[in-house]
């Protein structure tokens, strides 16, 4: 097992310059996530959870501090190297699935593989079909997102996030848009897959019950991250 943490962030800070005032959203965030570890982040609306995930993903630049993904400092990477690292090591699941409407479920799941160099279409389709099976959608592979239910779309999004077997998946309210029963079953499915693939999860949620089922729970408040469970 690789001993290097999947993610480290050190003294991470983010502020927005809003006219005369500096909006300090994140102040001094320190977080280490080990291989296969699943953590949740809770916090009131506007506390900076999505801002934090965007920094961890390298989609936004911090005002201070740094983020290391599997040992690589994001600030030292060019955009192309950052994109490659994201494709190689990270997966994403959002509240709304962000599937491409013109493509089938199978194609949506295959896309992260096709973005990699050296992966042929046949291999990508085979892996994508396998992953769709893992989320219980083997019979839905030819459906476009509009022909799927909300929960099914979210499962396709999970299959897409995990198909590359990334070291880390960032989830921003992945079940926020679903009824409690579906949310619970999708949550359990994600935990099961993360265990099988030893994928680390950082999940933002407003659902306290789901939050507390992770290995650790952190709360974001007044720009600071504190472990609460
Ligand atoms: N580009 C931006 N420019 C200025 N302020 C921003 C920008 N993006 C976010 N903010 C502010 O940063 C704060 C944190 O926003 P963020 O989206 O991270 O909150 P959140 O915790 O994810 O909330 P929610 O639970 O509602 O999704 C908010 O007050 C928001 O207005
Ligand atoms: Mg948010």
């Amino acid at each position: 097992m690789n001993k290097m943490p999947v993610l480290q962030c050190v003294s991470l800070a983010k502020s927005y310059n809003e006219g005369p005032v500096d909006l300090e959203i994140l102040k001094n965030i320190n977080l280490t996530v080990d291989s296969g570890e699943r953590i949740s982040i809770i916090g009131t609306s506007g506390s900076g959870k999505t801002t934090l995930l965007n920094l961890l993903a390298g989609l936004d630049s911090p005002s201070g501090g740094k983020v290391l993904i599997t040992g690589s400092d994001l600030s030292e990477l060019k955009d192309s190297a950052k994109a490659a690292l994201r494709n190689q090591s990270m997966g994403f699941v959002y509240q709304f699935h962000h599937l491409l409407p013109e493509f089938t479920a199978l194609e949506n799941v295959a896309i992260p593989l096709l973005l990699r160099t050296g992966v042929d279409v046949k291999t990508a389709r085979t892996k994508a079909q396998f992953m769709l099976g893992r989320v219980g959608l083997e019979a839905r592979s030819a459906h476009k997102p509009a022909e799927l239910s909300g929960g099914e779309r979210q499962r396709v999004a999970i299959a897409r996030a995990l198909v590359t077997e990334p070291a880390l998946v960032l989830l921003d309210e992945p079940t926020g848009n679903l009824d409690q029963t579906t949310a619970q079953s999708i949550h359990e499915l994600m935990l099961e897959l993360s265990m099988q693939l030893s994928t680390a999860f950082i999940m933002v949620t407003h659902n306290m019950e789901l939050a507390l089922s992770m290995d650790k729970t952190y709360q974001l408040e007044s720009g600071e991250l504190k472990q609460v469970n």
Side-chain angles (χ1 to χ4, degrees), residues 123-166:
T123 307
R125 288 181 72 90
T126 306
K127 281 196 177 172
Q129 184 62 43
F130 177 73
M131 206 61 219
L132 276 177
R134 298 286 282 272
V135 299
L137 292 176
E138 52 276 276
R140 296 286 189 284
S141 56
H143 289 227
K144 292 194 174 158
E147 301 158 353
L148 295 167
S149 76
E152 288 169 346
R153 283 178 210 153
Q154 217 48 359
R155 281 189 276 157
V156 175
I158 290 160
R160 180 185 53 182
L162 289 167
V163 75
T164 55
E165 301 192 14

Side-chain angles (χ1 to χ4, degrees), residues 9-228:
C9 75
V10 186
S11 310
L12 199 65
K14 180 72 182 176
S15 38
Y16 290 109
N17 223 272
E18 290 294 315
V21 277
D22 251 1
L23 259 179
E24 208 178 15
I25 306 297
L26 302 173
K27 282 178 190 158
N28 176 26
I29 308 281
N30 294 289
L31 176 67
T32 301
V33 178
D34 290 321
S35 173
E37 190 177 22
R38 287 92 51 96
I39 71 151
S40 54
I41 298 175
I42 56 170
T44 53
S45 178
S47 57
K49 304 179 298 297
T50 297
T51 304
L52 176 58
L53 287 189
N54 287 340
L55 294 178
L56 301 184
L59 296 169
D60 194 2
S61 306
S63 318
K66 60 182 176 180
V67 178
L68 288 90
I69 302 291
T70 55
S72 302
D73 184 341
L74 291 181
S75 68
E76 288 172 1
L77 300 178
K78 288 186 194 147
D79 283 351
S80 57
K82 244 192 280 190
L85 180 68
R86 262 199 297 277
N87 181 250
Q88 199 65 45
S89 306
M90 299 169 111
F92 303 91
V93 184
Y94 303 95
Q95 180 175 9
F96 298 98
H97 53 84
H98 292 294
L99 298 174
L100 299 171
E102 297 306 312
F103 293 92
T104 65
L106 183 74
E107 289 161 348
N108 268 284
V109 176
I111 285 168
L113 291 169
L114 293 170
L115 292 174
R116 292 182 163 187
T117 43
V119 178
D120 62 89
V121 175
K122 192 162 172 278
T123 307
R125 288 181 72 90
T126 306
K127 281 196 177 172
Q129 184 62 43
F130 177 73
M131 206 61 219
L132 276 177
R134 298 286 282 272
V135 299
L137 292 176
E138 52 276 276
R140 296 286 189 284
S141 56
H143 289 227
K144 292 194 174 158
E147 301 158 353
L148 295 167
S149 76
E152 288 169 346
R153 283 178 210 153
Q154 217 48 359
R155 281 189 276 157
V156 175
I158 290 160
R160 180 185 53 182
L162 289 167
V163 75
T164 55
E165 301 192 14
L168 173 67
V169 177
L170 302 178
L171 309 103
D172 199 350
E173 291 206 55
T175 58
N177 197 22
L178 304 169
D179 65 84
Q180 182 63 32
T181 311
T182 309
Q184 184 70 40
S185 79
I186 288 186
H187 183 73
E188 281 163 16
L189 172 69
M190 292 191 303
L191 291 184
E192 194 186 309
L193 292 171
S194 81
M195 201 99 91
Q196 287 164 1
L197 304 169
S198 16
T199 310
F201 274 24
I202 300 180
M203 182 181 80
V204 162
T205 183
H206 282 118
N207 184 322
M208 206 53 192
E209 199 184 322
L210 299 187
L212 292 174
S213 72
M214 305 294 267
D215 299 327
K216 290 178 188 165
T217 301
Y218 293 84
Q219 182 166 21
L220 196 53
E221 193 181 19
S222 310
E224 296 186 60
L225 195 64
K226 287 193 199 93
Q227 191 177 339
V228 292

